[in-house]
Amino acid sequence: DKNDDDDCGLYMAPSLIPNSGLGMFTAKTIPAKSKVFNGDVVIQVEDYQVNRRLRHWYHDITTTTTDDDDDDDDEKEEEKEEEPEWHLHDYYWQSSSTLGEFEAQDVSSIVPGLGMLANSHPGLVNVYMKPPQRSTGNLHRSLHPEAGSSSQYHDVHYRSTNENIEAGSELFVEYGDAWFSARTEAFGLLPLSQDFDDSMALLVEYFEQQLKKNWDQHSEKKWMGFFNYEMKQREKRIRREREKQLKENNGESEYPSEPKEFDKWLRDTQIRFANALPSSYKEVQYYLEHGTATVSVPQHAVQSIDYLKEHGICLDHIQPVEVEEEEEDEESLTFPSRSHRGAVAVRSLREGQIISAAPVVPIRRHHLEIWDANHYVDQKKAGTPWFLNSQLLLNYCYGHANSSLLLFPYSPVVNYINHHPTKYNAKLQWSTNQQFNKKELLEMTPDELMLYNKSGLVLEIVATQDIQPGDEVFLHYGMDYETAWQEFQQNWKPPPDSEQYVSSIDLNRDWLTPIRTIYEKEDYPPNIRTVCTVPDLAGDLNHHPKVTVVEPNQRYQATWFYQSNMYTNLDKAHLCQVLSRYGGFALESVQPDLEVYTVSIEFTQDDDDRDEMTTTMVFTNVPRRAIQFYDHEYTSDATALRGKDQVFRHEIGLPTDIVPTVWMDLPSNSSSSNNRHRR
């Protein structure tokens, strides 16, 4: 009954960008600079490529290296790829954007909801990401066996840009130009963000110089003459700029250094720019009126509300909430929750109604394996397993004990739906809408699905009883899940020395206590490190107007100052030492922001003459907000708890009756926990 969704504000429907799968649409006008629907969870994936290589080595699987610093081209040519890249590779967000950069040596962020389901367009970005909040969920590894079983990163959300988003608009997040440039084989030479800006500027110039004066006498020939002239001038400007940079920067430039590479890059750049322009002079005024980016998408990227109600699926029936411990009943407390978070109904939902669609990304169990890289030689000789456990992502995937296939759901809020052994009020089923859920994919083997890198598998979360506004939505994760958790809980013991652990998240909550300097007697716990957000001082520091040179090329000093959006990610955050604290207030001051700090940061960079050079930058007048605590790599609950006896890992169970027989590639008497090595 489509009338059930009359109040819906967010829909999943086919994207208006051709051949782009699904998209997200707002059914209500979103004011400028406002929050766009609900926040969501972030799941950090640690050292995926390292674990993949170690697994391949253990199983004698050859693979193509992707190291940027590996220059052994002969070795690359001899190797062959026997395993396709996992599909989540196309959905990664930079961990600096989600505050997860310091969890491990290499961290990739999975951001469901707008971060995965919404499409992107280089010229039509209308929402942008705000970083998540970090929370322990009041769990401590010395007391709670569920510690580490759910993400500590929550409420990553998006805000609208400086303009209102009209009802019916498709929502576009910013993937970045580099994402599109790296996928030319798939998408072709699409215009990038600057191409749309430059193309509009060129059309304005053309209109003012040509059309405004003599439109009636204008012709296709004159337009092409103007177009060809401007393209040649543009190429000349780019070549001159490259030569200037090479001359002024000792042979270095932002452009490709090799002449052949540069010529190819320039050809591609010119084609991208040309693709943003109208193909005929008759379209110039239309492009000027609506914008070159807007006209590149059918219907100007706006869908009718009637179409969304008829062909879309509502996505905002539920919202995430923090569930206080006293609100949780005794039965639900015996199972891990999403850090005491859950999903509750926004409006009344009737039995049989679709609560939310859940498009899924198919992956394999072995994609989530974590391997011990410290003593693998001895373990290999001894013939003992090298496998430690699975990534946290496993706890958010759907799967079946007799299948190597896992399904990660990526629609908004669905990853907050908890398990309840008796009060579950929702179930999983495959969507019957062939526009979303492609039946032929359910007939593919797991190996075949890994070669199909497009969306097309969609589950639905359906109410099994009437649900009232504010009621929490529960699934039953399956008996395998319940049994696995009960066994883990019974055998669990606090990890060694866990009672001494202090989370950086808890330290960051305490804004009233001044930050200790490195010269004070009482030090922070060994897992804690300080990270400072400082302004980006581009250019030569030896001649920078805001920098005092203490020792050329080695030590500098500057007064901290605010830069726009410097707190939105970790791009300007660096490991630091707090040298001093001052400001005229007592240590117990209730106005810690009026206390400021002096910090030092070491930057290591390559130098042509000395190979590697360390530069120390000292910032004075640093505010408290610019200094945050983070756990050292592999010491937080997300990455320190690795063994099967230390942290709980198990997928959400798919009912047997909805799992295709062709996916059942593990023995019928197996369990998901002891078959993760199977390829």
Side-chain angles (χ1 to χ4, degrees), residues 4-5 7-8 314-319 343-356 417 425-426 461-474:
D4 289 331
D5 296 339
D7 295 329
C8 184
C314 184
L315 296 178
D316 70 348
H317 285 319
I318 52 176
Q319 65 182 6
V344 300
V346 173
R347 54 186 69 93
S348 296
L349 301 169
R350 60 175 175 77
E351 182 180 351
Q353 185 175 350
I354 298 173
I355 298 173
S356 182
I417 298 178
N425 50 14
I461 300 168
V462 179
T464 57
Q465 63 188 54
D466 292 345
I467 301 173
Q468 301 306 313
D471 287 353
E472 185 167 0
V473 175
F474 292 106

Side-chain angles (χ1 to χ4, degrees), residues 525-543:
N527 63 290
I528 297 297
R529 53 184 175 180
T530 50
V531 174
C532 297
T533 299
V534 297
D536 183 14
L537 300 172
D540 185 357
L541 294 180
N542 292 307
H543 301 92

Side-chain angles (χ1 to χ4, degrees), residues 659-676:
V659 181
T661 304
V662 72
W663 291 2
M664 300 291 204
D665 58 346
L666 297 181
S668 58
N669 60 349
S670 68
S671 69
S672 58
S673 60
N674 61 21
N675 276 279
R676 289 177 179 132

Side-chain angles (χ1 to χ4, degrees), residues 618-634:
V618 175
F619 284 92
T620 61
N621 207 41
V622 180
R624 172 64 180 86
R625 184 187 180 191
I627 306 174
Q628 291 280 300
F629 296 106
Y630 284 86
D631 286 69
H632 275 281
E633 294 174 349
Y634 310 107

Side-chain angles (χ1 to χ4, degrees), residues 16 124 166 169-170 172 286 290 294-302:
L16 283 168
L124 294 176
E166 68 173 289
S169 295
E170 184 166 0
F172 295 118
Y286 179 74
H290 299 285
T294 301
V295 301
S296 69
V297 179
Q299 301 175 215
H300 296 178
V302 178

Side-chain angles (χ1 to χ4, degrees), residues 181-395:
S181 298
R183 291 163 174 79
T184 300
E185 186 175 341
F187 300 126
L189 295 171
L190 295 175
L192 303 179
S193 56
Q194 193 62 48
D195 296 318
F196 287 113
D197 291 340
D198 291 347
S199 62
M200 281 302 296
L202 182 66
L203 292 182
V204 169
E205 178 185 352
Y206 177 68
F207 180 79
E208 291 177 348
Q209 291 183 5
Q210 305 289 333
L211 300 182
K212 210 172 183 182
K213 299 177 182 177
N214 201 6
W215 169 253
D216 293 335
Q217 297 182 16
H218 206 69
S219 66
E220 194 71 29
K221 182 177 180 180
K222 289 184 178 180
W223 158 250
M224 291 306 300
F226 175 85
F227 170 80
N228 290 329
Y229 172 79
E230 289 297 329
M231 292 295 285
K232 290 178 181 178
Q233 293 299 113
R234 188 171 185 269
E235 179 177 339
K236 289 179 181 179
R237 287 194 298 270
I238 294 173
R239 290 188 179 278
R240 284 197 301 268
E241 177 61 26
R242 176 175 178 268
E243 291 300 322
K244 180 181 177 182
Q245 290 183 12
L246 291 172
K247 184 177 180 180
E248 294 178 351
N249 300 316
N250 298 319
E252 294 186 0
S253 166
E254 64 180 287
Y255 303 100
S257 56
E258 293 295 325
K260 288 185 178 180
E261 291 181 8
F262 171 71
D263 288 341
K264 181 183 183 306
W265 174 88
L266 183 56
R267 284 195 302 271
D268 291 349
T269 297
Q270 291 286 77
I271 293 172
R272 290 185 190 276
F273 176 66
N275 286 340
L277 292 165
S279 58
S280 169
Y281 82 98
K282 295 179 181 179
E283 299 175 320
V284 171
Q285 286 186 314
Y286 179 74
Y287 273 57
L288 274 170
E289 180 181 351
H290 299 285
T292 56
T294 301
V295 301
S296 69
V297 179
Q299 301 175 215
H300 296 178
V302 178
Q303 192 58 273
S304 73
I305 305 301
D306 288 340
Y307 176 91
L308 295 176
K309 289 182 177 180
E310 183 67 26
H311 301 283
I313 296 181
C314 184
L315 296 178
D316 70 348
H317 285 319
I318 52 176
Q319 65 182 6
V321 295
E322 290 191 48
V323 181
E324 297 297 333
E325 192 165 326
E326 57 267 21
E327 296 177 13
E328 299 181 290
D329 60 64
E330 189 173 337
E331 282 185 297
S332 66
L333 279 171
T334 61
F335 294 93
S337 65
R338 304 304 192 189
S339 293
H340 293 301
R341 284 171 167 78
V344 300
V346 173
R347 54 186 69 93
S348 296
L349 301 169
R350 60 175 175 77
E351 182 180 351
Q353 185 175 350
I354 298 173
I355 298 173
S356 182
V360 292
V361 177
I363 57 179
R364 303 294 281 277
R365 290 186 184 276
H366 60 248
H367 287 146
L368 301 185
E369 292 177 357
I370 296 176
W371 295 73
D372 183 2
N374 295 322
H375 307 292
Y376 65 88
V377 174
D378 291 341
Q379 290 191 6
K380 178 69 175 180
K381 289 180 178 178
T384 54
W386 198 6
F387 168 77
L388 282 177
N389 210 328
S390 295
Q391 301 266 3
L392 171 61
L393 187 67
L394 176 66
N395 290 13

